[in-house]
Amino acid sequence: MKLTDMSYAHEVMARHGIAPKKRYGQNFLTSDSVVSRIADTPSDDRDIGVLEIGPGIGTLTEALADRYKKVVSVEIDETLLPVLEETVGYRDNVTIVNADAMKLDLPQFINEHFKDMKVCVCANLPYYITSPIIIKILECGYLFESVTVMIQKEVAERLTAAPGSADYGAITVFTAYYAKAEKCFNVAPGNFLPQPKVTSAVIRMETYKNPPVDVKNAENMQKIIKAAFEQRRKMLAGALAAATNRVSKAQIAEKITEAGLSADVRGEKLSLEDFARLSDILEI
Ligand code: SAM
């Protein structure tokens, strides 16, 4: 019996005395075709390992285990462990780890569970930690071949937005530094138990082994990006001046033109390449 079969999912949860918990962002997938599409997205190579965050009752875990060599799933909610033991515990290519994914030391964890294997991330992420967990994963992006996550559609649009568009923000530029992000497909609320209020989307991020821009001080660039979008309606010189005491607004304006940008440009118009160029001549 498949976990996407609602009567089976209800029966398993009832037998274990559990119900989906809002505080852990538990919206379990109930559509076989959606689960298959997500599980197919990380890689064509079946010889890889997959790190799943939040297996829930094991629905996506099962589909990943059908396709890939090894699956390690990190679940925070210990009340789901007996359920997972029943639904996927019998598979010898699945390991369940009871932990908070936000607290993992990723390089150590990947080395421990996937030594010498190529690894992809695949997850139906809990909404309450979408951005922090994506940031955490991308900062260790070199560990992974790709990162496939289902998230709120609006966040997916922000991660994949073009410079100058309304959705373009600090998180878009941050993502572009670590990966080539692509929105794959939308998933309607009717495909979950319980149904969320919003539409979801699956995105795939192909991580870079080397960043697409060569920047002297990546931390300084991230500071500039953050400051530029904190006051996105302001001209860039003013937005950056508000974030530092190290340089004056006039000096910043000079550096902006030196970087080949217009003096009255707004941060929201800058591409990753523009931020990199500016960061190499302006420390804030
Ligand atoms: N993968 C399942 C599915 O698609 O049906 C469940 C997805 S549900 C949206 C998110 C899962 O992440 C839940 O099982 C929840 O308990 C788990 N979770 C929430 N916060 C977590 C954290 N910090 N670390 C690990 N797992 C977490």
Side-chain angles (χ1 to χ4, degrees):
M1 191 89 80
K2 284 212 172 257
L3 282 161
T4 42
D5 181 323
M6 291 284 273
S7 54
Y8 178 49
H10 278 297
E11 187 267 318
V12 170
M13 287 196 279
R15 197 152 31 76
H16 287 275
I18 57 154
K21 294 186 187 68
K22 215 175 166 177
R23 75 171 185 284
Y24 286 141
Q26 293 178 353
N27 297 95
F28 301 140
L29 276 163
T30 58
S31 157
D32 215 17
S33 62
V34 172
V35 169
S36 290
R37 282 182 83 185
I38 299 173
D40 279 335
T41 303
S43 177
D44 291 333
D45 182 355
R46 300 310 195 207
D47 219 24
I48 61 158
V50 176
L51 168 65
E52 184 192 18
I53 294 168
I57 58 173
T59 319
L60 180 59
T61 321
E62 192 174 47
L64 293 169
D66 283 342
R67 288 162 176 77
Y68 303 105
K69 192 166 181 181
K70 181 169 186 185
V71 179
V72 179
S73 304
V74 179
E75 175 55 62
I76 197 171
D77 182 359
E78 62 183 2
T79 70
L80 291 174
L81 299 185
V83 181
L84 288 162
E85 181 54 39
E86 177 184 329
T87 57
V88 290
Y90 67 94
R91 289 178 176 259
D92 56 14
N93 65 338
V94 174
T95 305
I96 303 293
V97 178
N98 182 210
D100 179 345
M102 283 304 298
K103 295 191 178 145
L104 290 184
D105 177 334
L106 279 176
Q108 193 194 312
F109 189 86
I110 296 302
N111 187 42
E112 187 183 325
H113 290 278
F114 299 103
K115 205 164 179 43
D116 298 328
M117 284 182 91
K118 286 186 176 171
V119 187
C120 292
V121 175
C122 188
N124 169 14
L125 287 180
Y127 290 151
Y128 78 103
I129 47 164
T130 305
S131 296
I133 194 84
I134 289 177
I135 290 170
K136 182 178 169 83
I137 292 168
L138 286 180
E139 279 177 340
C140 291
Y142 59 90
L143 295 171
F144 308 111
E145 303 298 307
S146 73
V147 178
T148 299
V149 285
M150 177 147 65
I151 53 182
Q152 210 175 311
K153 180 173 154 266
E154 284 69 26
V155 182
E157 279 159 3
R158 260 189 268 146
L159 296 184
T160 54
S165 66
D167 289 329
Y168 190 66
I171 186 92
T172 323
V173 194
F174 175 89
T175 303
Y177 183 61
Y178 291 101
K180 185 170 176 294
E182 175 198 6
K183 184 163 166 268
C184 303
F185 54 93
N186 289 340
V187 181
N191 294 291
F192 300 87
L193 172 78
Q195 295 191 15
K197 291 195 178 71
V198 294
T199 298
S200 303
V202 173
I203 63 164
R204 183 176 186 281
M205 294 172 276
E206 183 122 10
T207 43
Y208 298 124
K209 294 290 167 244
N210 296 305
V213 292
D214 203 9
V215 63
K216 283 186 208 147
N217 180 346
E219 212 176 303
N220 179 59
M221 182 175 75
Q222 296 298 355
K223 260 203 245 166
I224 292 181
I225 294 169
K226 189 162 172 271
F229 287 99
E230 236 149 48
Q231 310 199 27
R232 61 185 294 153
R233 295 275 144 231
K234 265 194 175 180
M235 285 196 280
L236 182 61
L240 299 187
T244 182
N245 305 322
R246 291 180 64 171
V247 263
S248 71
K249 189 174 165 186
Q251 287 167 319
I252 293 172
E254 231 172 73
K255 296 292 180 188
I256 288 174
T257 25
E258 201 182 313
L261 300 162
S262 144
D264 60 358
V265 74
R266 290 195 176 130
E268 63 190 8
K269 298 278 182 215
L270 269 62
S271 65
L272 173 65
E273 290 70 20
D274 294 330
F275 279 114
R277 238 178 18 257
L278 182 60
S279 167
D280 277 356
I281 54 172
L282 171 68
E283 295 249 337
I284 70 165

